[in-house]
Amino acid sequence: MPTNSTKTNHAEDVASMYGASLKERHGDKATKHISIPMRANTEENGLLLVSTKREFCTYINEQLAAENCGVAKTYKCLVCIKNPSDIDRIEKLVNKELTHWVNVKSACPKTFTRTKPTNTKLGDWQKCMMRITSIGDEKFRAACVSSKYNDSSDYTLAHRLWDPRMERPAEDLGVSYVMQVDVQLLTTKPHQIRGQMAALGCPIVGDVAYGGGSCVMRMHHHMWQRMAVQLCHLEFNMPEWNEDKTALVAADKKCTFHLNTAWWTEYLNDYERSF
């Protein structure tokens, strides 16, 4: 479901449905302003920040645009591992600042490079920075999705992640393992987490545009796509009114929101229990 209304649908989106829910609960006293300062792709999951005051929306946008971004965001991602040696390679990058450059004017998939191109007239190149804070979990670093060993556990995991109708979904993508990584964004650029992980050779599971294959979910005669990326931690300074009561400014107290699990957590737990 999109976060905001589209040209062809002004009702089936998060903002509209949340506003309708508030109106049903509070009647005419319900707020007239509903906005989502941090938009998310339809396929993404996790925490979503909804503003019911224009002043708060302005405050969050200012925090997001600050040079040292005032909103800390950490994502859980399940990424594709094509070569087993990539597991060790990615682990060595934990807690290091990873920098790429993205041409924000390029079409999807956007172009990401390790260094800034010398001829910047060919696009609007902006700096992307992120940090991998952890990989795997306490039980295992990565889960095998290759079915070449005829292991029912590996077979089931691959089909639950991608498409149960496919015979060998992981092999078709050239993927041997999947690994969960926690990523903290240090900047906020279009497609940043998706493009940077793909540039590292580990596209996100379900990210068709960047090489992660298609995660198809079917239920109740409906079908939709999803990506294995979820905003799991959100932190920013609590706002307070300035002396003139004309705008919100950052207070010392922090607002923190956290999710411990993702939609694929159950799949990994079942995989771990099978051994």
Side-chain angles (χ1 to χ4, degrees), residues 108-156:
C108 182
K110 295 188 179 297
T111 305
F112 284 78
T113 62
R114 293 287 184 90
T115 58
K116 187 177 183 179
T118 54
N119 188 0
T120 56
K121 294 182 179 180
L122 297 179
D124 183 5
W125 293 93
Q126 297 185 15
K127 190 176 184 180
C128 301
M129 297 178 64
M130 71 176 191
R131 181 185 293 113
I132 297 175
T133 58
S134 66
I135 68 165
D137 59 21
E138 298 177 353
K139 299 172 183 176
F140 55 86
R141 293 192 301 169
C144 179
V145 289
S146 173
S147 56
K148 64 182 179 180
Y149 300 112
N150 295 319
D151 188 307
S152 60
S153 301
D154 299 342
Y155 180 87
T156 301

Side-chain angles (χ1 to χ4, degrees), residues 55 239-249:
E55 296 86 354
E240 63 179 8
W241 290 105
N242 60 8
E243 293 182 0
D244 299 331
K245 305 294 183 182
T246 57
L248 293 174
V249 296

Side-chain angles (χ1 to χ4, degrees), residues 59-60 62-72 235-237 254:
Y59 169 77
I60 290 296
E62 290 174 348
Q63 294 296 306
L64 289 169
E67 183 176 354
N68 296 321
C69 184
V71 180
E235 183 177 287
F236 54 89
N237 286 83
K254 294 283 188 179

Side-chain angles (χ1 to χ4, degrees), residues 5-26:
S5 60
T6 63
K7 291 182 179 180
T8 58
N9 193 332
H10 295 272
E12 295 178 322
D13 60 89
V14 175
S16 298
M17 297 183 76
Y18 184 65
S21 177
L22 290 179
K23 186 175 182 179
E24 181 179 350
R25 177 178 296 182
H26 302 292

Side-chain angles (χ1 to χ4, degrees), residues 10-115:
H10 295 272
E12 295 178 322
D13 60 89
V14 175
S16 298
M17 297 183 76
Y18 184 65
S21 177
L22 290 179
K23 186 175 182 179
E24 181 179 350
R25 177 178 296 182
H26 302 292
D28 293 336
K29 294 182 180 180
T31 179
K32 304 297 182 183
H33 174 82
I34 299 289
S35 64
I36 299 178
M38 299 186 303
R39 296 195 179 191
N41 294 318
T42 306
E43 302 88 349
E44 294 179 3
N45 300 265
L47 297 168
L48 192 64
L49 189 64
V50 180
S51 169
T52 58
K53 298 289 184 182
R54 295 185 185 277
E55 296 86 354
F56 179 74
C57 184
T58 300
Y59 169 77
I60 290 296
N61 285 328
E62 290 174 348
Q63 294 296 306
L64 289 169
E67 183 176 354
N68 296 321
C69 184
V71 180
K73 297 187 291 184
T74 302
Y75 292 79
K76 285 188 183 297
C77 307
L78 194 67
V79 300
C80 301
I81 301 294
K82 298 184 177 182
N83 190 322
S85 62
D86 288 340
I87 300 174
D88 292 331
R89 178 174 63 85
I90 297 300
E91 186 173 24
K92 292 177 181 178
L93 298 177
V94 171
N95 290 326
K96 294 182 179 180
E97 291 188 359
L98 306 176
T99 302
H100 291 83
W101 293 84
V102 57
N103 180 4
V104 296
K105 292 186 177 180
S106 61
C108 182
K110 295 188 179 297
T111 305
F112 284 78
T113 62
R114 293 287 184 90
T115 58

